[in-house]
Each structure stands twice: as structure tokens, then as C-alpha cells.
């Protein structure tokens, strides 16, 4: 299910990157602090293009869980002004400066064409090597689904467009993952209260 959810979410992102207004807004501020619209678009595209690179590389030898993957990444809790998050934005801005909206859309379309063949063919036990650790391929694709769902919304808002409807499987997988991360960050009780007891809800249960 997560493989088709990834491909469907990637297709939704590719369609958004084809919106003509993206070229007009390329250098304007996005809905995210210190991110241009072009930089945000490049970061969204990266979730598709870099997946081609990682799936084309040699498999890893060992894997950790999805929750460990996020809890071991300092950018998850370090805030937008941390060195990790500044680095993510800077790399995206640098990449955006060397391309155009049209070229980026072409690159994503080509990557998606390749992934439609590559993703279904991945062995269940394939480990994607992420450097410091690895993830099983379906767990890795889950992380990309979450990134796609979240950043499609960010980019649509930045373009003053309605956020595209995400495939149900992609949205449900994202909600489940973000809920797990929120419980890790804030405690299960706070998440339960936020969802069921408005009068006792914490100020925030943001997962990221």
C-alpha cells in the first residue's frame, strides 16, 4: 500500500510543480520562514528526485525503525533556526538558484517515470542506505510520503492555490506517522487530550 501511496503522492506533487504561477512566484517568499517559493519547490521535488538516487544505490546492511529515524535526527526538534534546518533551506535555495520552474517540473516528471518501474520491483527486505543508518524500503517510502503530503500543502499555500487532495492512503499514512511522532514528543496523554478533550488540550502537539 505504501508504494502506491508514494507514487500517487509524487504524482500530485508533480502536477503542482507544473502550475504556471510557480514561475511567477519563484523568487518570492514562501509560506515557510526563510524559504523562497522556488527553494520550497526544490525541496518538494527533492523527495522524488533523491528517491531515484537512493533506490539506485547499493543496499544498506542494517535498518532501524521509522520512529528511531526521526528521533535520531536533530532537525526534528531543534527548531527552524537550528544549524540543521538552516542547512536544509540553504541547500534547497542553492539548488533553486541553478534551475527554473519548468526545468524542475521536467526533472520530477522524468524521475517519476523511472520510479513507477523501480518502486514496485523493490524486494521487501531491501534496505535503503541513508548514511548513518538504513531503513527498510517501505519505511523509507513512508518518510517520503509524509514529506510530500506536508510540503504539497506548504507549496500550494505559497502559490495561493487550493491544496490538492491527497490520495487517502497517503494522507492516512501521514496522519499515523505524525501522530506517533507527536506522542513521542509530547506524550500520549497530551495527544489524546488534544484530539478528544478541547478543554484540557495542550497548546500544541506539533510533531515537527
Amino acid at each position: 500500500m505504501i508504494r502506491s501511496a508514494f507514487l500517487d503522492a509524487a504524482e500530485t506533487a508533480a502536477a503542482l510543480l507544473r502550475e504556471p504561477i510557480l514561475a511567477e512566484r519563484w523568487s518570492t517568499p514562501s509560506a515557510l520562514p526563510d524559504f523562497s517559493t522556488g527553494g520550497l519547490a526544490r525541496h518538494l521535488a527533492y523527495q522524488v528526485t533523491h528517491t531515484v538516487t537512493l533506490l539506485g544505490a547499493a543496499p544498506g546492511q542494517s535498518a532501524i525503525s521509522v520512529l528511531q529515524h526521526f528521533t535520531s535526527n536533530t532537525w526534528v526538534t531543534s527548531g527552524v533556526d537550528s544549524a540543521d534546518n538552516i542547512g536544509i533551506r540553504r541547500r534547497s535555495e542553492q539548488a533553486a538558484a541553478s534551475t527554473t520552474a519548468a526545468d524542475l517540473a521536467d526533472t520530477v516528471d522524468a524521475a517519476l517515470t523511472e520510479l513507477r518501474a523501480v518502486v514496485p520491483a523493490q524486494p521487501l527486505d531491501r534496505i535503503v542506505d541513508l548514511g548513518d543508518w538504513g531503513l527498510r524500503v517501505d519505511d523509507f517510502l513512508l518518510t517520503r510520503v509524509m514529506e510530500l503530503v506536508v510540503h504539497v500543502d506548504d507549496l500550494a499555500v505559497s502559490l495561493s492555490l487550493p491544496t490538492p487532495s491527497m490520495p487517502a492512503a497517503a494522507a492516512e499514512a501521514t496522519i499515523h506517522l505524525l501522530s506517533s511522532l507527536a506522542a513521542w514528543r509530547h506524550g500520549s496523554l497530551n495527544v489524546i487530550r488534544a484530539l478528544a478533550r478541547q478543554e484540557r488540550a495542550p497548546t500544541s502537539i506539533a510533531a515537527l
Side-chain angles (χ1 to χ4, degrees), residues 39-40 42-43 48 70 77 95 104-105 115 119 138 151 168 176 183-184 205:
L40 175 58
R42 187 63 190 85
H43 185 66
V48 180
F70 284 100
T77 58
L104 183 62
L115 288 169
V119 167
D138 286 356
H151 290 309
H176 184 271
W184 167 72
I205 57 164

Side-chain angles (χ1 to χ4, degrees), residues 18-82:
R18 281 285 178 198
E19 289 287 346
I21 196 173
L22 177 57
E24 300 173 22
R25 299 275 185 95
W26 192 258
S27 299
T28 63
S30 76
L32 299 184
D34 298 323
F35 232 152
S36 71
T37 300
L40 175 58
R42 187 63 190 85
H43 185 66
L44 172 63
Y46 184 77
Q47 312 312 320
V48 180
T49 59
H50 195 51
T51 298
V52 174
T53 302
L54 290 175
L55 294 184
Q61 299 301 311
S62 61
I64 62 175
S65 70
V66 173
L67 189 58
Q68 285 177 296
H69 168 72
F70 284 100
T71 58
S72 299
N73 263 310
T74 55
W75 66 264
V76 175
T77 58
S78 58
V80 296
D81 294 326
S82 69

